[in-house]
Amino acid sequence: FQRSTSDWGYVGDLVEDDDKIGLYSYKVQSTITSRLANTMIQAKMVNNAKRPQPIMFDVQVPKGAFIDNFTMDINGITFTSHIREKSEARKMYAQAKAKGKAAGIVRSNALDMENFQTEVNVPPGMRIQFQLHYHEMIRRKLSSYEHVISVKPGRLAKHMEVDVRIIEPQGLRYVHVPNSLGDHFDGITTISKGEKKAHVSFKPTMAQQRKCPKCSSTAVDGNFVVQYDVNRETTGGELEIFNGYFIHFFAPENLDPLPKNILFVIDVSGSMWGLKMKQTIEAMKAILSELRAADQFSLIDFNHNVRCWRDNLVSATPSQVEDAKKYIQTIHPNGGTNINEALLRATFILNEAKSLGMLDPNSVSMIVLVSDGDPTVGELKLTTIQKNVKQSIKDEFSLFCLGIGFDVDYDFLQRIATDNRGMAQRIFGNQETSLQMKNFYNQVSTPLLKKIQFNYPQESVSDVTQSSFHNYFGGSEIVVAGKVDTENLQHLESVVTATAANAELVMETLRDVEELDGFMKKDKYADPEFTRKLWAYLTVNQMMAERNAAPTAALKRNITKSILQMSLDHHIVTPFTAMLIENAEKDEIMLADQPKDPRKGCCPGTLGLTPNAPNNNKGIPAWANVTAVPVSFMPEQRSPPVSSLSINRVDNDPHFIIHLPKSQRNICFNINSEPGKILNLVSDPGTGVVVNGQLVGAKKAENEKLNTYFGKIGFYFKKKGLKVEITTETITLKDGSYATTLTWADTGHIIRKQLLISVKKESNVTITVGEEMSFMVLLHRVWKKHPVNVDFLGIYIPPENQFSPAAHGLIGQFASEPEVSIHHQTPGQAPEKPQAIMEVKGNKFTVTRGVQKDYRTDRVLGTDVLCWFVHNSGKGFIDGHYRDYLVPHLYSFMKKP
């Protein structure tokens, strides 16, 4: 896997952005051999600036793919990779770091598309080449195999190429490349298709890559998609035997659908308000129209309460379907999320229907859950919910989960679906939500077979991945793999038994062991290891699912050992292994790993070397300082529920909520100032960090009071020389004369000097500084023609931020928690607002128990936060008077009161 930069040739005529970084080439090569896709993504870049600066390699890898190699070539010095057991790899990494060697870390996180992100600080004039290899099994959905490659070079490339080769021994029925990158590239892709092979090529020139004729930015930004299907001659499927392994592809067609019993469980909590709910209603109305006359169904909608449209299953008659559509149209989102009770109610309805004999013996039962958030009401512990649902379903039917939006805990939905014979899919909350939901439903809406059993001669095969399946859905495919004794076997026979709509089916397949040898060995692009890799891919995924469902700790440990051995034997990164990346002399080392806790987990795919790496005169001096760039609150990450993460925040007009971790209390106060004034929130001369907020007024006063809000928030990171200005319209990063801007209509990120700005469209911005601190700014939009209200910002600051003891400001002063005593509680004027005496910093005053709002998980209604309210603009609780915190400029430090 070693690579050299000697094949670069002439690197002139590169188009550079303001940062003077040139992308010489961006190449993707992917070869599909019998559904196994091996993909390589390579980028060659050069720093033409007169100063060192970071260069980033940011690749999205499909969820479920296995990364098997990563290499880096920095001015002729090559870093290669090796797979190790995780604790061993961490130990080697720690030893290298302790000895002062250059050491860094790469972390990946489970997302629909995992971000593998690498940043290297490169000296002027130097070149760098990144190369990532991964493999995945292409699964059949809706009668088509779909290979998705993320192509996001980020800038114009002198040489740009996506090259896909398909080798399918069964024969190709068709090959299609939809225009997924947009009409801009219409006619550029070429397809060459033979009987069993195809070649797809996408090679836009630099002129064709431009967004417009004079633009310096690239229009190549999205997914390159290749769709195809294979010929099918036998109902028993296709057996492929090669190099000591067999693969059985099973996808029978022309069968009558089985009737289904389906319960739709729909989240209608407050966070579903707006476009998500509108699109969900639209999709559900279309889905209900597709129910067949033999189907039975019902609807459950839930927030903090659970409602049933019907308490039992009903036949999908036109009148019942129409009535269900009318019911859905009346849904109005509000309240919390009680996932546990909703799913248990659904399982009760199906179990009761079965016990009463209401279900056709040949029918298939399923639950489809649609949700966008974590449980906030009822049972909150995810493992308990998973256990409750598993015990209630009892392997009698399937659970399918649709997670809407970026904040949903998709890992939990995936676990609970896999645990109950189903699958999960993330649906991104946008204009395409309705279409994505309908496509997901179409994958599971046509059950054709149930109780499927694969039988092979026991004396000839071993280590079969899985031999029994509950259901087969039209347009999909079941894949079974195993080892086979090819030396003592001339033919392999498979017998498949299953329950169809009207009868028990028996399907047989016979395959000559030597049949594939000649075909595969003649093709130079075919992967000679495809059967072994497919078997390993299926086996590891099956063992991961078995581990999640293991009833005892001892069984889980045994499965973990097996997964670890498979990972080492087949050179793949799993949750129990790590990838060591090092140069030939082994004195520069990096670690590809996963965060211990993905909720806190900063770093989906970051790569780094310690800043204090010595200059060893081997071509990698101290400039190879790639520090881990934490990515928190990214679109693929979810914000933890309020109950699990305490945080300091300022929101609304403006309400301050200070969380005191030691005493586990929330203290609230308001600041009543004037529009245009700038309040200091954090002023820390020790770390050189300033956070200030400028007030904006409502359009007019109400009840003789003009409400004020934060309309602009400024961050100054003095030691980095960086300033960030966030308004209700734009997000701007400034570095001296350099500036770059995103709008709230964007979803993306900016990285500069190891500071990361992550923007979630029309929702929030997160600023992350190393592993020391992070900040979230939340956008509140109001109706443009509202007579009073205006758009405004809220800011949320974790108390875990590593400010210095010198930190001050309206929020910063509480980095060092004061001693607070609250006593002599008495009834207030309202029963829900008792009063008490607070003693803090030598002051004693009356406080009132009340409720404020946290808008991170529900931007419309907010989540209630109980707190003790300090009157008179926080007097007595904050140091001095609130006017002491007024500063002249957006980036000014404050003077301590």
Side-chain angles (χ1 to χ4, degrees):
F1 288 117
Q2 293 203 2
R3 297 289 183 270
S4 171
T5 55
S6 60
D7 60 339
W8 280 41
Y10 177 62
V11 295
D13 301 328
L14 298 186
V15 173
E16 303 159 353
D17 291 340
D18 293 339
D19 56 11
K20 298 293 183 181
I21 293 174
L23 178 58
Y24 175 73
S25 76
Y26 192 89
K27 182 184 293 185
V28 179
Q29 291 180 341
S30 190
T31 300
I32 304 171
T33 309
S34 282
R35 284 68 142 191
L36 178 78
N38 288 291
T39 302
M40 181 275 291
I41 300 179
Q42 180 195 80
K44 297 180 179 180
M45 308 176 78
V46 61
N47 178 19
N48 286 326
K50 295 181 179 179
R51 56 184 174 82
Q53 61 177 335
I55 289 182
M56 175 172 289
F57 178 63
D58 190 351
V59 173
Q60 288 187 321
V61 178
K63 182 174 175 60
F66 287 144
I67 293 174
D68 48 33
N69 190 52
F70 173 69
T71 61
M72 249 188 358
D73 193 306
I74 307 173
N75 236 44
I77 296 178
T78 302
F79 287 73
T80 56
S81 61
H82 312 275
I83 303 295
R84 296 285 189 272
E85 188 272 329
K86 179 165 286 190
S87 61
E88 178 192 351
R90 285 177 174 169
K91 182 178 179 181
M92 293 173 68
Y93 168 72
Q95 289 173 345
K97 191 171 182 180
K99 291 177 181 178
K101 296 179 181 179
I105 191 161
V106 177
R107 289 192 174 114
S108 63
N109 206 16
L111 308 167
D112 282 345
M113 277 282 190
E114 299 187 18
N115 263 61
F116 186 97
Q117 193 176 83
T118 308
E119 187 184 64
V120 178
N121 202 36
V122 178
M126 281 202 177
R127 306 169 183 176
I128 186 166
Q129 175 180 298
F130 303 99
Q131 192 160 293
L132 181 72
H133 295 253
Y134 64 87
H135 67 269
E136 61 176 322
M137 190 180 84
I138 310 299
R139 298 189 180 275
R140 190 170 186 254
K141 298 177 182 177
L142 303 176
S143 301
S144 176
Y145 299 98
E146 186 172 84
H147 185 32
V148 180
I149 304 170
S150 177
V151 185
K152 297 184 177 184
R155 59 186 72 228
L156 293 172
K158 183 176 181 181
H159 301 285
M160 172 88 192
E161 178 182 2
V162 178
D163 190 88
V164 180
R165 294 185 182 273
I166 306 172
I167 300 104
E168 288 288 355
Q170 277 182 251
L172 290 165
R173 192 157 65 90
Y174 69 85
V175 176
H176 173 61
V177 180
N179 207 0
S180 54
L181 289 172
D183 295 338
H184 187 91
F185 301 103
D186 190 25
I188 296 178
T189 302
T190 61
I191 304 173
S192 174
K193 176 186 171 296
E195 181 185 353
K196 297 182 178 181
K197 304 176 188 177
H199 180 211
V200 176
S201 179
F202 174 70
K203 280 185 172 182
T205 64
M206 191 178 289
Q208 290 169 331
Q209 295 170 45
R210 297 179 188 271
K211 281 187 176 180
C212 64
K214 295 184 179 180
C215 291
S216 60
S217 55
T218 179
V220 183
D221 184 20
N223 292 333
F224 187 81
V225 179
V226 178
Q227 298 170 335
Y228 72 95
D229 200 10
V230 299
N231 298 321
R232 301 179 200 284
E233 298 178 357
T234 61
T235 57
E238 180 75 10
L239 274 170
E240 294 185 359
I241 308 155
F242 191 66
N243 279 356
Y245 295 86
F246 79 88
I247 310 292
H248 190 172
F249 299 104
F250 181 73
E253 297 177 333
N254 303 318
L255 298 171
D256 293 329
L258 297 168
K260 60 181 177 289
N261 316 298
I262 185 166
L263 264 165
F264 298 99
V265 181
I266 305 168
D267 183 347
V268 295
S269 60
S271 57
M272 286 286 288
W273 184 86
L275 182 62
K276 281 193 281 190
M277 194 74 253
K278 180 181 177 182
Q279 295 272 312
T280 299
I281 290 172
E282 180 185 329
M284 283 305 307
K285 288 165 70 176
I287 287 169
L288 289 170
S289 297
E290 295 177 6
L291 291 172
R292 300 180 182 88
D295 296 338
Q296 296 187 93
F297 78 106
S298 190
L299 299 167
I300 292 176
D301 62 289
F302 71 97
N303 44 29
H304 47 284
N305 297 314
V306 177
R307 295 193 310 169
C308 298
W309 167 66
R310 295 284 187 270
D311 289 329
N312 53 278
L313 294 170
V314 299
S315 297
T317 63
S319 61
Q320 295 282 19
V321 168
E322 196 58 36
D323 192 51
K325 290 181 184 178
K326 290 178 181 176
Y327 176 81
I328 288 175
Q329 198 67 49
T330 65
I331 290 174
H332 296 289
N334 65 84
T337 308
N338 194 341
I339 291 178
N340 185 68
E341 187 178 341
L343 287 176
L344 294 183
R345 184 76 61 88
T347 59
F348 173 80
I349 291 174
L350 283 174
N351 283 324
E352 184 181 47
K354 183 182 179 186
S355 65
L356 294 175
M358 295 172 57
L359 306 184
D360 184 330
N362 285 343
S363 65
V364 171
S365 298
M366 64 182 75
I367 296 170
V368 176
L369 169 67
V370 180
S371 179
D372 78 329
D374 296 324
T376 60
V377 179
E379 179 57 61
L380 302 180
K381 194 173 181 181
L382 300 182
T383 53
T384 302
I385 296 173
Q386 188 176 348
K387 182 180 178 182
N388 291 345
V389 174
K390 177 72 174 175
Q391 289 176 344
S392 186
I393 286 181
K394 302 172 186 173
D395 283 335
E396 293 293 330
F397 37 89
S398 300
L399 171 62
F400 299 96
C401 297
L402 276 169
I404 298 182
F406 297 110
D407 295 330
V408 67
D409 188 343
Y410 179 66
D411 285 344
F412 165 66
L413 294 183
Q414 193 172 45
R415 285 197 308 272
I416 201 171
T418 305
D419 210 18
N420 293 285
R421 298 166 30 181
M423 63 180 180
Q425 183 168 320
R426 185 194 296 273
I427 302 294
F428 298 101
N430 53 33
Q431 296 290 345
E432 299 297 320
T433 296
S434 179
L435 178 61
Q436 293 176 69
M437 288 180 64
K438 286 184 280 189
N439 285 343
F440 177 80
Y441 171 75
N442 288 338
Q443 294 178 45
V444 300
S445 63
T446 312
L448 299 181
L449 296 171
K450 61 185 293 186
K451 298 179 181 177
I452 308 154
Q453 183 69 43
F454 290 81
N455 300 287
Y456 307 97
Q458 293 184 0
E459 67 277 6
S460 305
V461 303
S462 62
D463 296 329
V464 177
T465 51
Q466 189 170 343
S467 59
S468 63
F469 295 81
H470 296 286
N471 301 309
Y472 165 72
F473 296 94
S476 65
E477 182 175 63
I478 293 175
V479 183
V480 182
K483 297 179 179 178
V484 62
D485 182 5
T486 54
E487 292 184 4
N488 302 312
L489 187 71
Q490 291 184 336
H491 303 282
L492 179 64
E493 182 180 12
S494 164
V495 179
V496 185
T497 60
T499 300
N502 302 312
E504 296 294 315
L505 294 183
V506 178
M507 294 158 278
E508 298 182 6
T509 304
L510 186 68
R511 178 63 66 204
D512 190 314
V513 170
E514 301 298 326
E515 191 171 326
L516 268 183
D517 282 11
F519 173 75
M520 286 297 179
K521 289 174 181 176
K522 288 178 183 176
D523 194 293
K524 66 178 181 178
Y525 296 105
D527 183 353
E529 298 290 320
F530 83 95
T531 49
R532 179 187 63 80
K533 290 180 180 177
L534 272 173
W535 173 80
Y537 180 96
L538 291 168
T539 301
V540 170
N541 277 291
Q542 180 182 320
M543 288 192 294
M544 293 288 289
E546 291 172 352
R547 184 182 181 276
N548 286 336
T552 66
L555 180 57
K556 184 169 285 191
R557 282 194 298 271
N558 289 336
I559 297 173
T560 301
K561 290 179 182 177
S562 298
I563 297 172
L564 172 60
Q565 194 58 52
M566 284 286 295
S567 305
L568 297 174
D569 291 345
H570 297 275
H571 199 271
I572 52 180
V573 178
T574 66
F576 310 108
T577 55
M579 180 186 288
L580 282 174
I581 306 160
E582 55 192 1
N583 63 351
E585 290 78 14
K586 301 187 184 298
D587 57 1
E588 316 287 343
I589 189 169
M590 287 160 265
L591 173 69
D593 198 357
Q594 290 182 331
K596 294 180 181 178
D597 182 354
R599 285 174 179 255
K600 300 176 182 176
C602 66
C603 321
T606 60
L607 171 65
L609 307 178
T610 53
N612 57 355
N615 185 342
N616 53 20
N617 297 316
K618 293 182 181 179
I620 304 187
W623 57 260
N625 301 337
V626 194
T627 59
V629 184
V631 181
S632 71
F633 300 112
M634 284 290 285
E636 314 68 27
Q637 303 278 336
R638 61 183 183 83
S639 300
V642 176
S643 59
S644 69
L645 177 60
S646 300
I647 201 161
N648 297 321
R649 60 195 78 102
V650 191
D651 220 324
N652 230 326
D653 60 341
H655 301 316
F656 287 71
I657 306 176
I658 304 298
H659 177 71
L660 304 177
K662 294 179 183 176
S663 59
Q664 286 298 300
R665 289 190 176 104
N666 293 316
I667 311 298
C668 306
F669 58 94
N670 293 348
I671 296 294
N672 298 311
S673 191
E674 303 166 13
K677 297 292 186 183
I678 301 174
L679 291 169
N680 176 257
L681 306 179
V682 177
S683 181
D684 186 3
T687 60
V689 174
V690 169
V691 184
N692 294 324
Q694 186 169 29
L695 298 174
V696 61
K699 293 175 183 176
K700 64 180 181 179
E702 283 188 314
N703 300 321
E704 299 183 352
K705 178 193 174 187
L706 181 68
N707 287 331
T708 55
Y709 311 84
F710 281 134
K712 184 184 294 183
I713 295 177
F715 298 82
Y716 179 30
F717 303 95
K718 185 177 180 180
K719 293 183 179 180
K720 295 179 179 291
L722 298 178
K723 296 176 180 177
V724 181
E725 178 179 303
I726 301 177
T727 71
T728 55
E729 301 299 328
T730 59
I731 303 95
T732 302
L733 171 70
K734 302 175 183 178
D735 183 1
S737 60
Y738 170 88
T740 185
T741 299
L742 293 175
T743 72
W744 283 101
D746 298 317
T747 290
H749 57 264
I750 306 169
I751 296 180
R752 196 165 183 88
K753 298 180 180 178
Q754 286 77 56
L755 180 139
L756 171 69
I757 303 174
S758 302
V759 182
K760 180 177 174 183
K761 182 178 179 180
E762 294 294 331
S763 178
N764 62 65
V765 173
T766 300
I767 300 174
T768 312
V769 189
E771 295 186 349
E772 295 77 34
M773 58 185 71
S774 65
F775 308 86
M776 175 186 277
V777 176
L778 203 66
L779 173 67
H780 294 272
R781 287 273 190 235
V782 300
W783 180 42
K784 293 292 184 186
K785 296 182 180 180
H786 195 285
V788 178
N789 295 340
V790 294
D791 294 345
F792 64 98
L793 305 170
I795 182 168
Y796 296 72
I797 304 176
E800 295 84 3
N801 277 0
Q802 297 174 27
F803 296 122
S804 77
H808 211 268
L810 286 167
I811 293 178
Q813 64 187 288
F814 299 104
S816 299
E817 182 175 334
E819 292 290 332
V820 175
S821 172
I822 299 175
H823 52 83
H824 288 85
Q825 183 171 325
T826 58
Q829 293 181 352
E832 68 275 12
K833 294 184 177 181
Q835 293 186 331
I837 300 297
M838 175 184 286
E839 292 187 55
V840 59
K841 302 177 181 178
N843 301 314
K844 183 187 292 187
F845 45 89
T846 301
V847 292
T848 304
R849 190 69 161 167
V851 174
Q852 295 286 13
K853 294 287 188 180
D854 184 311
Y855 291 93
R856 284 173 300 144
T857 55
D858 186 339
R859 288 194 301 133
V860 180
L861 301 175
T863 303
D864 289 345
V865 178
L866 286 173
C867 64
W868 288 102
F869 185 80
V870 180
H871 303 273
N872 301 319
S873 296
K875 185 178 180 181
F877 181 64
I878 63 173
D879 293 338
H881 193 276
Y882 89 84
R883 282 192 287 270
D884 297 328
Y885 298 85
L886 295 175
V887 292
H889 304 293
L890 197 61
Y891 306 110
S892 298
F893 283 81
M894 70 163 285
K895 297 179 181 179
K896 265 193 177 183

